[in-house]
Amino acid sequence: MITNAESGTNVNEVADGIYRINTPLPPSFVPGGFSFNQYLVAGDEPLLFHTGPRKLFPLVREAVAAVMPVERLRYVGLSHFEADECGSLNEWLAAAPRAEPLCGGVAAMVSIGDVADRGPRALADGETLYLGRHAVRWLDTPHLPHAWECGFLFEEATRTLLCGDLFTQPGVGEEPLTESDILGPSEAFRRELDYFSHSRNARAHLERRAALNPATLACMHGSAWRGDGGALLLALADSLAQ
Ligand SMILES: [Fe+2]
Ligand SMILES: [Fe+2]
């Protein structure tokens, strides 16, 4: 479903009750094009994971409104503190009176507790938050792929790993959900634009995520992916070690 004809912003359900909001970016931004995705976990206590950059707020708001009333949003989550992850956090807090920022303890301490207009709900490593038909578990992943405060959410009902910048793919991500290879394209992209911190703990973090056996990887840039997520995370660990 295209929600803005001019930008091409579109919304697609990639797992039960989980919607990818995708805005394609032109080659002038990154050669070959690029994309920003947000994921809306719809239900009793709806969660928007990532806001997109501040300048995209009207487009993302329009896309959320195509699925549910914006003011029903309960949580606005983020993996780490960057513009594409949380640039419009305060715009969302203003648009949804019940919404709270949702992040890890480090993000709350170093950034969100200060910059957000309402205090965050900070989750400890391994803590689960129940959203009705969905439940999300916070997983600290400091410096993977970048930022001390980095972490991911794992949605337990659909076994969807909201994996942020992992598997960042070039191009506009026109396929909402793919089963074809995303490791090759994302690793080729990383060789051009290395956004990884190369923390020595990367393999341990990836092995811990792989043990969850995700069935869907909800990537922030490019297509979401369906398949043996555990195996793909271990393949990424191998590739990073080369
Ligand atoms: Fe990032
Ligand atoms: Fe990102």
Side-chain angles (χ1 to χ4, degrees), residues 33-232:
F34 198 60
S35 64
F36 289 130
N37 300 329
Q38 303 78 41
Y39 290 88
L40 177 63
V41 182
D44 300 335
E45 306 268 271
L47 157 74
L48 179 66
F49 192 63
H50 294 143
T51 67
R54 189 168 60 90
K55 288 177 181 163
L56 255 53
F57 174 67
L59 296 172
V60 180
R61 181 194 169 113
E62 190 174 31
V64 169
V67 179
M68 53 163 253
V70 165
E71 53 276 14
R72 277 195 55 229
L73 255 193
R74 185 68 182 83
Y75 296 104
V76 182
L78 56 118
S79 154
H80 55 283
F81 187 70
E82 284 180 335
D84 58 332
E85 276 76 11
C86 59
S88 64
L89 177 59
N90 285 328
E91 282 81 351
W92 282 104
L93 297 181
R98 291 177 64 237
E100 290 176 287
L102 184 69
C103 59
V106 175
M109 176 177 69
V110 301
S111 295
I112 304 301
D114 180 61
V115 301
D117 288 339
R118 277 201 293 282
R121 170 79 190 265
L123 294 177
D125 185 35
E127 186 177 350
T128 297
L129 177 69
Y130 295 92
L131 303 172
R133 62 197 270 225
H134 297 105
V136 286
R137 195 186 317 173
W138 176 263
L139 307 156
D140 281 338
T141 57
H143 308 292
L144 178 77
H146 50 245
W148 176 31
E149 70 276 16
C150 197
F152 303 118
L153 287 174
F154 178 67
E155 199 292 300
E156 294 176 351
T158 59
R159 291 180 30 236
T160 298
L161 183 64
L162 297 156
C163 65
D165 288 337
L166 293 181
F167 304 103
T168 286
Q169 303 146 53
V172 298
E174 59 272 274
E175 235 187 305
L177 181 64
T178 183
E179 294 183 0
S180 48
D181 178 46
I182 59 167
L183 180 63
S186 67
E187 282 296 88
F189 182 83
R190 185 176 67 79
R191 277 177 205 112
E192 298 288 312
L193 210 66
D194 193 358
Y195 55 92
F196 269 68
S197 71
H198 299 284
S199 151
R200 65 168 67 104
N201 299 321
R203 177 176 289 277
H205 287 317
L206 288 165
E207 284 176 351
R208 204 173 144 220
R209 310 303 163 258
L212 297 166
N213 257 318
T216 302
L217 299 175
C219 305
M220 186 173 180
H221 308 284
S223 300
W225 183 85
R226 184 164 55 196
D228 182 346
L232 199 69

Side-chain angles (χ1 to χ4, degrees), residues 8-33:
T9 302
N10 58 91
V11 184
N12 289 277
E13 192 172 10
V14 295
D16 187 21
I18 301 183
Y19 297 82
R20 184 189 80 145
I21 298 166
N22 164 270
T23 299
L25 299 176
S28 55
F29 185 79
V30 169

